[in-house]
Amino acid sequence: MTRPAAGDGQLTTAPRYNLDLMEPILTIQQAKRSFGEVHALRGVSFDMAAGEVVALLGPNGAGKSTLIRSITTLENLDAGSISVCGVSVQDDPRAARAFLGYAGQESALDKVLTGREFLRFQGGLVHLPKAQILPRVEELLARFGLQDAGDRRLETYSGGMARRLDLAASIMHQPKLLILDEPSSGLDYDARRELWQMLGELREEGTALLLATHDFEEADVLSSRAVMMSHGEVVGSGTPDELRAALGSWILAASLHEHQVPEDRERLRALFSEVSGVEMPPNPQSSEYAKAVPPGQDMAPDGRNWSEWLRDHAAQQGVELVSVGLRRPTLQDAYLAATHQQTSTSNAAEVSA
Protein backbone atom coordinates (compact mmCIF):
# COMPACT_ATOMS: atom_id res chain seq x y z
CA MET A 1 0.00 0.00 0.00
CA THR A 2 1.33 3.42 -0.91
CA ARG A 3 0.22 5.80 1.78
CA PRO A 4 -0.26 9.52 1.64
CA ALA A 5 1.18 11.58 4.43
CA ALA A 6 -0.49 11.78 7.79
CA GLY A 7 -2.13 14.83 9.24
CA ASP A 8 -2.81 17.30 6.45
CA GLY A 9 -2.50 14.61 3.77
CA GLN A 10 0.25 16.51 1.95
CA LEU A 11 3.83 15.88 0.99
CA THR A 12 6.06 18.74 0.02
CA THR A 13 8.60 18.26 -2.76
CA ALA A 14 10.56 21.41 -2.00
CA PRO A 15 11.77 21.11 1.63
CA ARG A 16 13.31 24.09 3.34
CA TYR A 17 16.32 22.08 4.49
CA ASN A 18 19.77 21.74 2.99
CA LEU A 19 20.92 18.12 3.03
CA ASP A 20 24.32 17.30 4.47
CA LEU A 21 25.57 14.36 2.41
CA MET A 22 27.42 13.02 5.45
CA GLU A 23 24.38 13.16 7.69
CA PRO A 24 22.46 9.92 8.32
CA ILE A 25 19.28 9.49 6.29
CA LEU A 26 17.45 8.14 9.34
CA THR A 27 18.33 8.68 13.00
CA ILE A 28 16.33 7.05 15.81
CA GLN A 29 17.35 7.88 19.38
CA GLN A 30 15.81 6.21 22.43
CA ALA A 31 12.35 5.98 20.84
CA LYS A 32 9.67 5.05 23.39
CA ARG A 33 5.96 4.49 22.89
CA SER A 34 3.40 2.86 25.19
CA PHE A 35 -0.26 2.06 24.89
CA GLY A 36 -1.51 1.75 28.45
CA GLU A 37 0.44 -1.11 30.02
CA VAL A 38 1.85 -2.24 26.67
CA HIS A 39 5.33 -0.86 25.99
CA ALA A 40 5.57 -1.03 22.20
CA LEU A 41 8.94 0.74 21.97
CA ARG A 42 11.46 0.62 24.80
CA GLY A 43 14.32 2.93 23.85
CA VAL A 44 14.96 1.91 20.25
CA SER A 45 18.05 3.49 18.68
CA PHE A 46 19.74 3.05 15.29
CA ASP A 47 20.53 5.07 12.19
CA MET A 48 20.82 4.54 8.44
CA ALA A 49 23.08 5.99 5.76
CA ALA A 50 22.35 6.75 2.12
CA GLY A 51 22.24 3.57 0.04
CA GLU A 52 22.05 1.36 3.11
CA VAL A 53 19.53 -1.48 3.26
CA VAL A 54 18.41 -2.38 6.77
CA ALA A 55 16.19 -5.39 7.41
CA LEU A 56 13.92 -4.89 10.42
CA LEU A 57 13.29 -8.33 11.87
CA GLY A 58 11.04 -9.33 14.73
CA PRO A 59 8.00 -11.45 15.63
CA ASN A 60 4.50 -10.03 15.77
CA GLY A 61 4.29 -7.68 18.73
CA ALA A 62 8.00 -6.80 18.57
CA GLY A 63 7.26 -3.13 17.90
CA LYS A 64 8.11 -3.00 14.18
CA SER A 65 4.74 -1.59 13.12
CA THR A 66 4.75 1.05 15.85
CA LEU A 67 8.28 2.06 14.86
CA ILE A 68 7.35 2.35 11.17
CA ARG A 69 4.24 4.36 12.02
CA SER A 70 6.40 6.67 14.13
CA ILE A 71 8.95 7.16 11.34
CA THR A 72 6.22 7.94 8.83
CA THR A 73 4.62 10.51 11.19
CA LEU A 74 1.49 8.41 11.78
CA GLU A 75 2.33 7.87 15.46
CA ASN A 76 3.75 10.22 18.10
CA LEU A 77 6.53 9.07 20.41
CA ASP A 78 6.24 9.37 24.18
CA ALA A 79 9.97 10.04 24.42
CA GLY A 80 13.05 10.01 22.22
CA SER A 81 13.41 11.35 18.71
CA ILE A 82 13.32 10.37 15.05
CA SER A 83 14.75 12.46 12.23
CA VAL A 84 14.84 11.92 8.49
CA CYS A 85 17.62 13.73 6.63
CA GLY A 86 18.10 15.84 9.74
CA VAL A 87 14.43 16.84 9.93
CA SER A 88 12.55 15.91 13.10
CA VAL A 89 9.40 13.94 12.36
CA GLN A 90 7.91 15.32 15.57
CA ASP A 91 8.78 19.00 15.05
CA ASP A 92 8.26 19.25 11.29
CA PRO A 93 6.35 16.20 10.06
CA ARG A 94 5.35 17.72 6.73
CA ALA A 95 8.94 18.52 5.77
CA ALA A 96 10.12 15.10 6.98
CA ARG A 97 7.54 13.37 4.79
CA ALA A 98 9.11 14.93 1.71
CA PHE A 99 12.04 12.56 2.18
CA LEU A 100 9.93 9.44 2.87
CA GLY A 101 8.41 6.81 0.64
CA TYR A 102 6.30 3.92 1.92
CA ALA A 103 5.00 0.75 0.30
CA GLY A 104 2.94 -1.40 2.66
CA GLN A 105 2.13 -5.08 2.67
CA GLU A 106 -1.43 -4.54 1.48
CA SER A 107 -1.74 -2.76 -1.83
CA ALA A 108 -3.82 0.43 -1.89
CA LEU A 109 -4.32 0.31 -5.64
CA ASP A 110 -7.76 1.44 -6.79
CA LYS A 111 -8.79 -1.40 -9.08
CA VAL A 112 -10.95 0.74 -11.35
CA LEU A 113 -8.04 2.98 -12.32
CA THR A 114 -5.47 2.20 -14.98
CA GLY A 115 -1.82 2.02 -14.02
CA ARG A 116 -1.15 5.35 -15.71
CA GLU A 117 -4.11 7.00 -13.95
CA PHE A 118 -2.99 5.69 -10.58
CA LEU A 119 0.52 7.11 -10.96
CA ARG A 120 -0.87 10.46 -12.10
CA PHE A 121 -3.07 10.51 -8.99
CA GLN A 122 -0.04 9.68 -6.84
CA GLY A 123 1.94 12.49 -8.44
CA GLY A 124 -0.74 14.95 -7.40
CA LEU A 125 -0.96 13.45 -3.95
CA VAL A 126 2.74 14.07 -3.29
CA HIS A 127 2.46 17.57 -4.80
CA LEU A 128 4.78 17.17 -7.74
CA PRO A 129 4.68 20.25 -9.96
CA LYS A 130 2.05 19.65 -12.63
CA ALA A 131 4.55 19.89 -15.47
CA GLN A 132 6.63 17.09 -13.92
CA ILE A 133 3.85 14.56 -13.30
CA LEU A 134 3.31 13.16 -16.80
CA PRO A 135 7.03 12.77 -17.63
CA ARG A 136 7.62 11.15 -14.26
CA VAL A 137 4.70 8.75 -14.78
CA GLU A 138 6.07 7.64 -18.15
CA GLU A 139 9.56 7.29 -16.71
CA LEU A 140 8.32 5.03 -13.92
CA LEU A 141 6.11 2.91 -16.18
CA ALA A 142 9.11 2.26 -18.41
CA ARG A 143 11.48 1.63 -15.53
CA PHE A 144 9.22 -0.97 -13.90
CA GLY A 145 8.27 -2.71 -17.13
CA LEU A 146 4.66 -1.52 -17.09
CA GLN A 147 4.52 0.70 -20.17
CA ASP A 148 2.47 -1.77 -22.20
CA ALA A 149 0.07 -2.26 -19.26
CA GLY A 150 -0.23 1.43 -18.41
CA ASP A 151 -3.75 1.76 -19.86
CA ARG A 152 -5.08 -1.47 -18.39
CA ARG A 153 -7.28 -1.43 -15.30
CA LEU A 154 -5.49 -2.49 -12.16
CA GLU A 155 -7.96 -5.31 -11.60
CA THR A 156 -6.27 -7.06 -14.53
CA TYR A 157 -2.77 -6.82 -13.03
CA SER A 158 -0.98 -9.86 -11.66
CA GLY A 159 0.39 -9.78 -8.13
CA GLY A 160 3.89 -9.02 -9.38
CA MET A 161 2.67 -6.20 -11.64
CA ALA A 162 0.63 -4.65 -8.84
CA ARG A 163 3.64 -4.81 -6.53
CA ARG A 164 5.85 -3.11 -9.13
CA LEU A 165 3.28 -0.37 -9.62
CA ASP A 166 2.99 0.15 -5.86
CA LEU A 167 6.77 0.46 -5.67
CA ALA A 168 6.78 2.92 -8.56
CA ALA A 169 4.18 5.05 -6.78
CA SER A 170 6.20 5.04 -3.55
CA ILE A 171 9.21 6.62 -5.29
CA MET A 172 7.21 9.12 -7.36
CA HIS A 173 8.79 12.02 -5.44
CA GLN A 174 12.27 10.40 -5.31
CA PRO A 175 12.44 9.88 -1.53
CA LYS A 176 15.75 9.54 0.29
CA LEU A 177 14.31 6.80 2.53
CA LEU A 178 11.97 4.10 1.26
CA ILE A 179 10.18 1.93 3.82
CA LEU A 180 8.81 -1.41 2.63
CA ASP A 181 6.58 -3.71 4.68
CA GLU A 182 6.94 -7.36 3.56
CA PRO A 183 7.92 -6.27 0.03
CA SER A 184 7.81 -9.73 -1.59
CA SER A 185 4.81 -11.10 0.30
CA GLY A 186 2.55 -13.13 -1.97
CA LEU A 187 4.90 -13.03 -4.96
CA ASP A 188 6.04 -16.11 -6.85
CA TYR A 189 9.71 -16.95 -7.24
CA ASP A 190 10.30 -15.06 -10.50
CA ALA A 191 8.36 -11.96 -9.39
CA ARG A 192 10.24 -11.91 -6.09
CA ARG A 193 13.64 -12.06 -7.82
CA GLU A 194 12.56 -9.32 -10.19
CA LEU A 195 11.51 -7.13 -7.28
CA TRP A 196 14.82 -7.74 -5.51
CA GLN A 197 16.69 -6.58 -8.61
CA MET A 198 14.65 -3.36 -8.69
CA LEU A 199 15.33 -2.72 -5.01
CA GLY A 200 19.01 -3.31 -5.63
CA GLU A 201 18.96 -0.65 -8.34
CA LEU A 202 17.37 1.84 -5.94
CA ARG A 203 20.07 1.05 -3.39
CA GLU A 204 22.79 1.66 -5.99
CA GLU A 205 21.23 5.08 -6.68
CA GLY A 206 21.64 6.00 -3.03
CA THR A 207 18.12 5.40 -1.73
CA ALA A 208 18.13 4.05 1.82
CA LEU A 209 15.78 1.06 2.20
CA LEU A 210 14.18 -0.07 5.45
CA LEU A 211 12.63 -3.52 4.99
CA ALA A 212 10.25 -4.97 7.54
CA THR A 213 10.24 -8.63 6.56
CA HIS A 214 9.78 -12.17 7.82
CA ASP A 215 11.59 -13.53 4.77
CA PHE A 216 15.11 -14.37 5.96
CA GLU A 217 16.35 -15.11 2.47
CA GLU A 218 15.17 -11.65 1.42
CA ALA A 219 16.91 -10.06 4.40
CA ASP A 220 20.10 -12.00 3.70
CA VAL A 221 20.16 -11.16 -0.01
CA LEU A 222 19.23 -7.48 0.21
CA SER A 223 20.32 -6.08 3.54
CA SER A 224 23.66 -4.58 4.47
CA ARG A 225 22.51 -4.71 8.10
CA ALA A 226 19.77 -6.40 10.10
CA VAL A 227 18.14 -4.90 13.19
CA MET A 228 16.40 -7.53 15.32
CA MET A 229 13.59 -6.45 17.63
CA SER A 230 11.71 -8.22 20.42
CA HIS A 231 9.28 -6.78 22.98
CA GLY A 232 9.97 -3.23 21.81
CA GLU A 233 13.75 -3.46 22.11
CA VAL A 234 16.65 -3.92 19.71
CA VAL A 235 18.16 -7.28 20.68
CA GLY A 236 20.73 -7.52 17.91
CA SER A 237 22.19 -5.48 15.07
CA GLY A 238 24.87 -6.09 12.48
CA THR A 239 25.51 -7.44 9.03
CA PRO A 240 24.04 -10.90 8.40
CA ASP A 241 27.57 -12.32 8.45
CA GLU A 242 28.34 -10.61 11.77
CA LEU A 243 25.14 -11.89 13.38
CA ARG A 244 25.77 -15.46 12.20
CA ALA A 245 29.39 -15.37 13.37
CA ALA A 246 28.45 -13.93 16.77
CA LEU A 247 26.00 -16.77 17.37
CA GLY A 248 28.51 -19.54 16.84
CA SER A 249 30.72 -21.65 14.58
CA TRP A 250 28.23 -24.47 14.19
CA ILE A 251 24.69 -25.50 15.05
CA LEU A 252 24.93 -28.97 16.61
CA ALA A 253 21.60 -30.80 16.77
CA ALA A 254 20.35 -34.25 17.74
CA SER A 255 17.09 -36.09 18.32
CA LEU A 256 16.04 -39.25 20.15
CA HIS A 257 12.87 -39.96 18.17
CA GLU A 258 11.50 -39.02 14.76
CA HIS A 259 8.57 -37.30 16.46
CA GLN A 260 8.46 -35.18 19.60
CA VAL A 261 8.36 -36.97 22.95
CA PRO A 262 7.81 -34.68 25.98
CA GLU A 263 10.80 -35.83 28.05
CA ASP A 264 13.28 -35.89 25.15
CA ARG A 265 14.32 -32.25 25.46
CA GLU A 266 15.51 -32.65 29.04
CA ARG A 267 17.37 -35.86 28.19
CA LEU A 268 19.12 -34.17 25.29
CA ARG A 269 19.87 -31.09 27.37
CA ALA A 270 21.72 -33.36 29.81
CA LEU A 271 23.57 -35.04 26.94
CA PHE A 272 24.67 -31.62 25.62
CA SER A 273 25.81 -30.42 29.07
CA GLU A 274 29.46 -30.65 28.04
CA VAL A 275 28.85 -28.53 24.94
CA SER A 276 29.15 -24.83 25.71
CA GLY A 277 27.21 -22.27 23.73
CA VAL A 278 23.72 -20.91 23.18
CA GLU A 279 20.78 -23.27 23.51
CA MET A 280 18.54 -22.84 20.48
CA PRO A 281 14.81 -22.39 21.09
CA PRO A 282 12.62 -25.44 20.54
CA ASN A 283 11.07 -25.90 17.13
CA PRO A 284 7.43 -27.07 17.47
CA GLN A 285 7.74 -28.89 14.13
CA SER A 286 10.91 -30.79 15.03
CA SER A 287 12.09 -33.23 17.67
CA GLU A 288 15.64 -31.83 17.58
CA TYR A 289 17.54 -30.26 20.42
CA ALA A 290 20.27 -27.87 19.24
CA LYS A 291 23.06 -25.68 20.52
CA ALA A 292 25.16 -23.03 18.78
CA VAL A 293 28.79 -23.98 19.35
CA PRO A 294 30.73 -20.82 20.43
CA PRO A 295 32.71 -18.87 17.82
CA GLY A 296 36.19 -20.26 17.30
CA GLN A 297 35.35 -23.78 18.49
CA ASP A 298 35.30 -25.39 15.07
CA MET A 299 36.31 -28.78 16.43
CA ALA A 300 35.43 -30.80 19.52
CA PRO A 301 37.96 -30.86 22.39
CA ASP A 302 39.48 -34.13 21.11
CA GLY A 303 40.01 -32.70 17.62
CA ARG A 304 37.13 -34.51 15.89
CA ASN A 305 34.16 -32.80 14.34
CA TRP A 306 31.29 -32.16 16.69
CA SER A 307 28.86 -34.67 15.18
CA GLU A 308 31.33 -37.56 15.60
CA TRP A 309 32.10 -36.48 19.15
CA LEU A 310 28.39 -36.29 20.04
CA ARG A 311 27.64 -39.76 18.67
CA ASP A 312 30.45 -41.29 20.73
CA HIS A 313 29.49 -39.26 23.79
CA ALA A 314 25.88 -40.48 23.49
CA ALA A 315 27.03 -44.09 23.10
CA GLN A 316 29.14 -43.79 26.25
CA GLN A 317 26.06 -42.53 28.08
CA GLY A 318 23.93 -45.37 26.72
CA VAL A 319 21.80 -42.95 24.69
CA GLU A 320 20.68 -43.97 21.21
CA LEU A 321 20.31 -41.05 18.81
CA VAL A 322 18.16 -41.29 15.68
CA SER A 323 19.83 -38.24 14.13
CA VAL A 324 22.79 -35.92 14.56
CA GLY A 325 23.16 -32.75 12.53
CA LEU A 326 25.95 -30.20 12.09
CA ARG A 327 25.48 -27.07 10.03
CA ARG A 328 26.56 -23.48 9.82
CA PRO A 329 24.33 -20.89 11.54
CA THR A 330 21.83 -18.96 9.43
CA LEU A 331 20.42 -15.46 9.86
CA GLN A 332 17.20 -17.10 11.02
CA ASP A 333 19.16 -18.95 13.72
CA ALA A 334 20.66 -15.67 14.94
CA TYR A 335 17.22 -14.06 14.98
CA LEU A 336 15.57 -16.97 16.83
CA ALA A 337 18.33 -17.13 19.43
CA ALA A 338 18.28 -13.38 20.09
CA THR A 339 14.50 -13.04 20.33
CA HIS A 340 14.16 -16.23 22.42
CA GLN A 341 16.83 -15.04 24.85
CA GLN A 342 15.13 -11.64 25.21
CA THR A 343 11.73 -13.29 25.75
CA SER A 344 13.19 -15.58 28.41
CA THR A 345 14.85 -12.63 30.14
CA SER A 346 11.62 -10.59 30.07
CA ASN A 347 9.59 -13.49 31.47
CA ALA A 348 12.12 -14.04 34.24
CA ALA A 349 12.01 -10.36 35.14
CA GLU A 350 8.19 -10.42 35.29
CA VAL A 351 8.26 -13.48 37.55
CA SER A 352 10.82 -11.93 39.92
CA ALA A 353 8.79 -8.72 40.02
Side-chain angles (χ1 to χ4, degrees):
M1 179 173 68
T2 306
R3 291 189 179 178
D8 55 14
Q10 297 178 344
L11 286 172
T12 176
T13 56
R16 296 177 283 107
Y17 298 86
N18 293 320
L19 292 181
D20 182 349
L21 295 179
M22 299 301 292
E23 189 168 23
I25 295 296
L26 174 66
T27 303
I28 304 171
Q29 295 181 329
Q30 292 297 310
K32 297 180 181 179
R33 184 71 170 105
S34 297
F35 301 93
E37 298 298 317
V38 178
H39 302 295
L41 299 175
R42 302 169 180 254
V44 172
S45 298
F46 66 89
D47 56 28
M48 292 179 61
E52 187 174 17
V53 182
V54 172
L56 191 60
L57 304 174
N60 292 334
K64 302 190 307 297
S65 296
T66 300
L67 182 61
I68 289 175
R69 288 179 61 83
S70 299
I71 296 170
T72 55
T73 77
L74 297 173
E75 196 75 59
N76 293 320
L77 296 177
D78 297 326
S81 65
I82 298 174
S83 61
V84 181
C85 296
V87 182
S88 168
V89 301
Q90 296 100 317
D91 297 339
D92 200 345
R94 182 174 177 180
R97 290 193 295 268
F99 302 113
L100 289 168
Y102 175 72
Q105 184 174 358
E106 298 296 329
S107 175
L109 306 182
D110 189 333
K111 304 301 183 183
V112 301
L113 297 177
T114 67
R116 189 170 272 107
E117 289 169 342
F118 176 75
L119 289 181
R120 288 175 184 169
F121 171 77
Q122 184 69 15
L125 190 65
V126 298
H127 284 208
L128 276 186
K130 190 173 182 180
Q132 295 180 16
I133 293 178
L134 293 183
R136 181 64 173 159
V137 167
E138 296 307 314
E139 175 190 348
L140 290 171
L141 287 173
R143 174 170 185 168
F144 289 93
L146 296 169
Q147 222 165 11
D148 292 341
D151 293 321
R152 283 170 45 188
R153 286 193 173 189
L154 302 184
E155 61 189 2
T156 69
Y157 278 31
S158 67
M161 292 170 65
R163 199 60 174 156
R164 297 203 307 272
L165 185 66
D166 212 20
L167 181 60
S170 71
I171 64 168
M172 173 66 69
H173 57 304
Q174 298 177 300
K176 301 295 183 183
L177 171 64
L178 178 59
I179 301 173
L180 302 112
D181 190 3
E182 301 293 344
S184 61
S185 176
L187 299 184
D188 61 27
Y189 178 85
D190 290 335
R192 184 171 65 156
R193 295 285 169 168
E194 188 176 55
L195 177 68
W196 289 355
Q197 181 177 347
M198 293 174 178
L199 294 178
E201 291 170 359
L202 289 173
R203 175 193 61 207
E204 292 299 320
E205 294 167 5
T207 305
L209 306 177
L210 180 60
L211 313 177
T213 180
H214 288 94
D215 187 329
F216 290 96
E217 182 186 9
E218 181 169 76
D220 218 346
V221 168
L222 294 177
S223 69
S224 48
R225 182 158 51 104
V227 173
M228 302 186 294
M229 291 184 64
S230 180
H231 294 279
E233 298 178 356
V234 174
V235 296
S237 178
T239 68
D241 284 343
E242 289 171 345
L243 293 170
R244 283 189 289 264
L247 176 61
S249 300
W250 297 97
I251 301 294
L252 179 62
S255 58
L256 298 174
H257 299 92
E258 292 185 6
H259 304 287
Q260 288 186 352
V261 175
E263 62 270 18
D264 278 4
R265 189 162 182 83
E266 288 305 317
R267 291 180 62 197
L268 287 167
R269 181 179 284 120
L271 182 66
F272 274 67
S273 61
E274 295 184 28
V275 180
S276 58
V278 177
E279 180 180 282
M280 298 300 294
N283 181 347
Q285 297 179 331
S286 171
S287 60
E288 281 189 341
Y289 175 90
K291 264 190 173 181
V293 179
Q297 296 187 17
D298 285 335
M299 307 299 288
D302 61 4
R304 291 182 295 169
N305 72 50
W306 282 102
S307 59
E308 291 178 0
W309 175 88
L310 185 62
R311 286 187 184 279
D312 283 354
H313 180 62
Q316 292 169 11
Q317 301 293 321
V319 177
E320 184 177 352
L321 299 174
V322 299
S323 69
V324 175
L326 188 67
R327 59 179 175 79
R328 293 296 187 183
T330 65
L331 181 59
Q332 184 173 10
D333 290 325
Y335 159 85
L336 290 172
T339 54
H340 178 70
Q341 183 177 22
Q342 201 274 347
T343 298
S344 299
T345 302
S346 296
N347 291 341
E350 290 175 4
V351 170
S352 63

